[in-house]
Amino acid sequence: MADVLPLVEARLRSALGEPDARAAVTFLGTDRIEVLRFQEGDIVRYATLGMSAGPMSDPTATLADPVEGPRAELVLSVRAGLADTDKVLRPLAVLAASPQVEGVIVAPGASLDVGEPLWPGAPFTSVLVAEPGGLVEDLELDAPRDPVRFLPLLPMTPNEAAWKRVHGAQALQERWLTGGTDLRDPARRSVALD
């Protein structure tokens, strides 16, 4: 079977263009995670590369399946020039390594928290994992491997994250939509939750 990561990088390049920067982070006991930065007008996108090298496995499984299981990469889009968002590289790599480190399956509707601001001064410490398929199409792999899904990340304030735990991801997304929230604004305030 062909190595997955060159195919993933090719899919990212075909959807987002050429990356203008990349950084690599390795955590003890994990495979290397890279974060690629793509600039398009006033939007900067950060995409992980390495999370999909192996399938995510059920944390309750006795043995991890080396072939079958969901695969994903993470994509974060923010407005450029409004904050030092390039410092998000390490937190993104931490989130991308979480399936290997914590044995979690990252899927749409999940909350992921890094426990500190995503970048200096950011009002966000966590993200909501959104549905894939809009920005970067799924990458089909040879059977029996699952496709690689490119999961958008939507930054959440601590209040939004707490509200989402009670009311669910769909309800929070509806609040954002109703409130006309610019989810790409790296300095936005929390949406009204009353």
Side-chain angles (χ1 to χ4, degrees), residues 46-103:
Y46 302 93
T48 62
L49 180 63
M51 183 177 169
S52 63
M56 294 180 274
S57 57
D58 183 340
T60 62
T62 310
L63 289 172
D65 190 317
V67 178
E68 294 184 52
R71 294 175 190 255
E73 295 291 353
L74 308 175
V75 181
L76 174 69
S77 301
V78 292
R79 294 204 182 286
L82 302 176
D84 189 9
T85 56
D86 280 351
K87 297 284 197 284
V88 78
L89 301 178
R90 185 168 178 77
L92 265 183
V94 166
L95 296 177
S98 62
Q100 288 181 59
V101 174
E102 299 171 22

Coordinates of all heavy atoms in Angstrom, one line a residue, residues 46-103:
Y46 N -4.3 26.8 8.2 CA -3.3 25.9 8.7 C -3.9 24.5 8.6 O -5.0 24.3 9.1 CB -3.1 26.3 10.2 CG -2.6 27.7 10.4 CD1 -3.5 28.7 10.7 CD2 -1.2 28.0 10.3 CE1 -3.1 30.0 10.9 CE2 -0.8 29.3 10.5 CZ -1.7 30.3 10.8 OH -1.3 31.6 10.9
A47 N -3.1 23.6 8.0 CA -3.5 22.2 7.9 C -2.5 21.3 8.4 O -1.3 21.5 8.2 CB -3.8 21.9 6.4
T48 N -3.0 20.3 9.2 CA -2.0 19.3 9.7 C -1.7 18.3 8.7 O -2.5 18.0 7.7 CB -2.6 18.6 11.0 OG1 -3.8 17.9 10.6 CG2 -2.9 19.6 12.1
L49 N -0.5 17.7 8.8 CA -0.1 16.6 7.9 C 0.6 15.6 8.8 O 1.7 15.9 9.3 CB 0.8 17.2 6.8 CG 1.4 16.2 5.8 CD1 0.3 15.5 5.0 CD2 2.4 16.8 4.9
G50 N 0.0 14.4 8.9 CA 0.7 13.4 9.7 C -0.3 12.6 10.6 O -0.2 11.5 10.9
M51 N -1.4 13.3 10.9 CA -2.5 12.7 11.7 C -3.1 11.5 11.0 O -3.5 10.5 11.6 CB -3.6 13.7 12.0 CG -4.7 13.3 12.9 SD -5.8 14.7 13.2 CE -7.1 13.9 14.0
S52 N -3.2 11.5 9.7 CA -3.8 10.5 8.9 C -2.9 9.3 8.5 O -3.3 8.4 7.8 CB -4.4 11.1 7.6 OG -3.4 11.6 6.8
A53 N -1.6 9.4 9.0 CA -0.7 8.3 8.6 C -1.2 6.9 9.1 O -0.9 5.9 8.4 CB 0.7 8.6 9.2
G54 N -1.9 6.9 10.2 CA -2.5 5.7 10.6 C -3.9 5.9 11.0 O -4.3 7.1 11.3
P55 N -4.8 4.9 11.1 CA -6.2 5.1 11.4 C -6.3 5.4 12.9 O -5.5 4.9 13.7 CB -6.8 3.8 11.1 CG -5.7 2.8 11.1 CD -4.5 3.5 10.7
M56 N -7.3 6.2 13.3 CA -7.6 6.4 14.7 C -8.4 5.1 15.1 O -9.1 4.5 14.4 CB -8.6 7.6 14.8 CG -7.9 8.9 14.4 SD -9.0 10.3 14.6 CE -9.8 10.3 13.0
S57 N -8.1 4.7 16.4 CA -8.7 3.5 16.9 C -9.5 3.8 18.1 O -9.3 4.7 18.9 CB -7.6 2.4 17.1 OG -6.7 2.9 18.1
D58 N -10.5 2.9 18.3 CA -11.4 3.0 19.4 C -10.6 2.8 20.7 O -9.8 1.8 20.9 CB -12.4 1.9 19.3 CG -13.5 1.9 20.4 OD1 -13.2 2.5 21.5 OD2 -14.6 1.3 20.2
P59 N -10.7 3.8 21.6 CA -9.9 3.7 22.9 C -10.2 2.5 23.7 O -9.4 2.0 24.5 CB -10.2 5.0 23.6 CG -11.4 5.5 23.0 CD -11.5 5.0 21.6
T60 N -11.4 1.8 23.5 CA -11.7 0.6 24.3 C -11.3 -0.6 23.6 O -11.4 -1.7 24.2 CB -13.3 0.6 24.5 OG1 -13.9 0.4 23.2 CG2 -13.8 1.8 25.2
A61 N -10.7 -0.5 22.4 CA -10.2 -1.7 21.7 C -9.0 -2.3 22.3 O -8.1 -1.5 22.8 CB -10.0 -1.4 20.2
T62 N -8.8 -3.6 22.4 CA -7.7 -4.2 22.9 C -6.4 -3.9 22.1 O -5.4 -3.6 22.6 CB -7.9 -5.7 23.1 OG1 -9.1 -6.0 23.7 CG2 -6.8 -6.4 23.9
L63 N -6.6 -4.1 20.8 CA -5.5 -3.8 19.8 C -6.0 -2.8 18.8 O -7.1 -2.9 18.3 CB -5.1 -5.1 19.1 CG -4.4 -6.2 19.9 CD1 -4.2 -7.4 19.1 CD2 -3.0 -5.6 20.4
A64 N -5.1 -1.9 18.4 CA -5.4 -0.9 17.4 C -5.3 -1.6 16.0 O -4.3 -2.3 15.8 CB -4.5 0.3 17.5
D65 N -6.2 -1.4 15.1 CA -6.2 -2.0 13.8 C -5.2 -1.1 13.0 O -5.4 0.1 12.9 CB -7.6 -1.9 13.1 CG -7.6 -2.7 11.8 OD1 -6.7 -2.6 11.0 OD2 -8.6 -3.4 11.6
P66 N -4.2 -1.7 12.4 CA -3.2 -0.8 11.6 C -3.7 -0.4 10.3 O -3.0 0.4 9.6 CB -2.0 -1.8 11.5 CG -2.6 -3.1 11.5 CD -3.8 -3.1 12.4
V67 N -4.8 -0.9 9.8 CA -5.3 -0.6 8.4 C -6.6 0.1 8.4 O -6.8 1.2 7.8 CB -5.4 -1.9 7.6 CG1 -5.9 -1.6 6.2 CG2 -4.0 -2.6 7.5
E68 N -7.6 -0.5 9.1 CA -9.0 0.0 9.0 C -9.3 1.0 10.2 O -8.7 0.8 11.3 CB -10.0 -1.1 9.1 CG -10.0 -2.0 7.8 CD -11.0 -3.0 7.8 OE1 -12.2 -2.7 8.0 OE2 -10.7 -4.2 7.6
G69 N -10.1 2.0 9.9 CA -10.5 2.9 10.9 C -10.4 4.3 10.3 O -9.8 4.6 9.3
P70 N -11.1 5.3 11.0 CA -11.2 6.6 10.4 C -9.8 7.3 10.4 O -9.0 7.1 11.3 CB -12.1 7.3 11.4 CG -12.2 6.5 12.6 CD -11.8 5.1 12.3
R71 N -9.6 8.1 9.4 CA -8.4 8.9 9.2 C -8.8 10.3 9.0 O -9.8 10.6 8.3 CB -7.5 8.4 8.0 CG -7.0 7.0 8.2 CD -6.3 6.6 6.9 NE -5.9 5.2 6.9 CZ -4.7 4.7 7.1 NH1 -3.7 5.6 7.3 NH2 -4.5 3.4 7.1
A72 N -8.0 11.3 9.5 CA -8.4 12.7 9.4 C -7.1 13.6 9.4 O -6.1 13.2 10.0 CB -9.4 13.1 10.4
E73 N -7.3 14.8 8.9 CA -6.4 15.9 9.1 C -7.2 17.1 9.5 O -8.4 17.1 9.3 CB -5.6 16.2 7.9 CG -4.6 15.1 7.4 CD -3.4 14.9 8.3 OE1 -3.2 15.6 9.3 OE2 -2.7 13.9 8.0
L74 N -6.6 18.1 10.2 CA -7.3 19.2 10.7 C -7.0 20.5 9.9 O -5.9 20.7 9.5 CB -6.9 19.4 12.2 CG -7.1 18.2 13.1 CD1 -6.5 18.5 14.5 CD2 -8.5 17.7 13.2
V75 N -8.0 21.3 9.7 CA -7.8 22.6 8.9 C -8.4 23.7 9.7 O -9.6 23.7 10.1 CB -8.5 22.5 7.5 CG1 -8.2 23.8 6.8 CG2 -7.9 21.3 6.7
L76 N -7.6 24.7 10.0 CA -8.1 25.9 10.7 C -7.9 27.1 9.8 O -6.9 27.3 9.2 CB -7.3 26.2 12.0 CG -7.5 27.4 12.7 CD1 -8.9 27.4 13.4 CD2 -6.4 27.7 13.8
S77 N -9.0 27.9 9.6 CA -9.0 29.1 8.7 C -9.2 30.4 9.6 O -10.2 30.4 10.3 CB -10.0 29.0 7.6 OG -9.9 27.9 6.8
V78 N -8.4 31.4 9.5 CA -8.5 32.6 10.2 C -8.2 33.8 9.3 O -7.4 33.6 8.3 CB -7.7 32.7 11.5 CG1 -8.2 31.7 12.5 CG2 -6.2 32.4 11.2
R79 N -8.6 35.0 9.7 CA -8.3 36.2 9.0 C -6.8 36.6 9.3 O -6.4 36.6 10.5 CB -9.2 37.4 9.3 CG -10.6 37.1 8.8 CD -11.4 38.3 8.6 NE -12.7 38.0 8.2 CZ -13.1 37.5 7.0 NH1 -12.2 37.4 6.1 NH2 -14.3 37.2 6.7
A80 N -6.1 36.9 8.3 CA -4.6 37.2 8.4 C -4.5 38.6 9.0 O -5.3 39.5 8.7 CB -3.9 37.1 7.1
G81 N -3.4 38.8 9.7 CA -3.0 40.2 10.1 C -3.7 40.7 11.3 O -3.3 41.8 11.8
L82 N -4.6 40.0 11.9 CA -5.4 40.6 13.1 C -4.8 40.0 14.4 O -5.2 40.5 15.5 CB -6.8 40.2 12.9 CG -7.5 40.7 11.7 CD1 -9.0 40.3 11.6 CD2 -7.5 42.3 11.6
A83 N -4.0 39.0 14.4 CA -3.4 38.4 15.6 C -2.2 37.6 15.1 O -2.0 37.3 13.9 CB -4.4 37.5 16.3
D84 N -1.4 37.2 16.1 CA -0.2 36.4 15.8 C -0.6 34.9 15.7 O -0.2 34.1 16.5 CB 0.9 36.6 16.9 CG 2.2 35.9 16.5 OD1 2.4 35.5 15.4 OD2 3.1 35.9 17.4
T85 N -1.4 34.6 14.7 CA -2.0 33.2 14.6 C -1.0 32.2 14.2 O -1.2 31.0 14.3 CB -3.1 33.2 13.6 OG1 -2.7 33.7 12.3 CG2 -4.3 34.1 14.1
D86 N 0.2 32.6 13.7 CA 1.2 31.6 13.4 C 1.7 30.8 14.6 O 2.2 29.7 14.5 CB 2.5 32.2 12.7 CG 2.2 32.5 11.2 OD1 1.2 32.0 10.7 OD2 3.1 33.1 10.6
K87 N 1.4 31.3 15.8 CA 1.7 30.6 17.1 C 0.8 29.4 17.3 O 0.9 28.7 18.3 CB 1.7 31.5 18.2 CG 2.7 32.7 18.2 CD 4.1 32.1 18.5 CE 5.1 33.2 18.8 NZ 5.7 34.0 17.8
V88 N -0.2 29.2 16.4 CA -1.2 28.1 16.6 C -0.6 26.8 16.1 O -1.1 25.7 16.3 CB -2.5 28.4 15.8 CG1 -2.3 28.2 14.3 CG2 -3.6 27.6 16.3
L89 N 0.6 26.8 15.6 CA 1.2 25.6 15.0 C 1.4 24.5 16.1 O 1.0 23.4 15.8 CB 2.6 25.9 14.4 CG 2.6 27.0 13.2 CD1 4.0 27.2 12.7 CD2 1.7 26.5 12.1
R90 N 1.9 24.9 17.2 CA 2.1 23.8 18.2 C 0.8 23.3 18.8 O 0.6 22.1 18.9 CB 3.0 24.3 19.3 CG 3.3 23.2 20.4 CD 4.5 23.6 21.3 NE 4.7 22.6 22.3 CZ 5.4 21.5 22.1 NH1 5.8 21.2 20.9 NH2 5.5 20.6 23.0
P91 N -0.2 24.2 19.2 CA -1.5 23.7 19.6 C -2.2 22.8 18.6 O -2.8 21.8 18.9 CB -2.3 25.0 19.9 CG -1.3 26.0 20.3 CD -0.1 25.7 19.4
L92 N -2.0 23.2 17.3 CA -2.6 22.3 16.2 C -2.0 21.0 16.2 O -2.6 19.9 16.0 CB -2.5 23.0 14.9 CG -3.7 23.8 14.4 CD1 -3.4 24.4 13.0 CD2 -5.0 23.0 14.4
A93 N -0.6 20.9 16.3 CA 0.1 19.7 16.3 C -0.3 18.8 17.5 O -0.5 17.6 17.4 CB 1.6 19.9 16.3
V94 N -0.5 19.5 18.7 CA -1.0 18.8 19.9 C -2.3 18.1 19.6 O -2.6 16.9 19.9 CB -1.1 19.7 21.1 CG1 -1.9 19.1 22.2 CG2 0.3 20.1 21.5
L95 N -3.3 18.9 19.0 CA -4.6 18.3 18.7 C -4.5 17.1 17.7 O -5.2 16.1 17.8 CB -5.5 19.4 18.1 CG -5.9 20.5 19.1 CD1 -6.7 21.6 18.4 CD2 -6.5 20.0 20.3
A96 N -3.6 17.3 16.7 CA -3.4 16.2 15.7 C -2.8 15.0 16.2 O -3.0 13.9 15.7 CB -2.6 16.8 14.5
A97 N -2.0 15.1 17.3 CA -1.3 14.0 17.9 C -2.3 13.3 18.9 O -2.0 12.2 19.4 CB -0.1 14.4 18.6
S98 N -3.4 13.9 19.3 CA -4.3 13.4 20.3 C -4.8 12.0 20.1 O -4.9 11.2 21.0 CB -5.4 14.3 20.7 OG -6.2 14.5 19.6
P99 N -5.0 11.6 18.8 CA -5.4 10.2 18.6 C -4.3 9.2 19.0 O -4.6 8.1 19.5 CB -5.8 10.1 17.1 CG -6.2 11.5 16.8 CD -5.3 12.4 17.6
Q100 N -3.1 9.5 18.7 CA -2.0 8.7 19.1 C -1.7 8.7 20.6 O -1.4 7.7 21.2 CB -0.7 9.1 18.4 CG -0.6 8.8 16.9 CD 0.7 9.3 16.3 OE1 1.8 8.8 16.7 NE2 0.7 10.2 15.4
V101 N -1.8 9.9 21.2 CA -1.4 10.0 22.6 C -2.5 9.6 23.5 O -2.3 8.9 24.5 CB -1.0 11.5 22.9 CG1 -0.8 11.8 24.3 CG2 0.2 12.0 22.0
E102 N -3.7 10.0 23.2 CA -4.9 9.8 24.1 C -5.8 8.7 23.6 O -6.7 8.3 24.3 CB -5.7 11.0 24.3 CG -4.8 12.2 24.9 CD -5.6 13.5 24.9 OE1 -6.8 13.5 24.9 OE2 -4.9 14.5 25.0
G103 N -5.6 8.2 22.4 CA -6.5 7.1 21.9 C -7.9 7.6 21.6 O -8.8 6.8 21.8

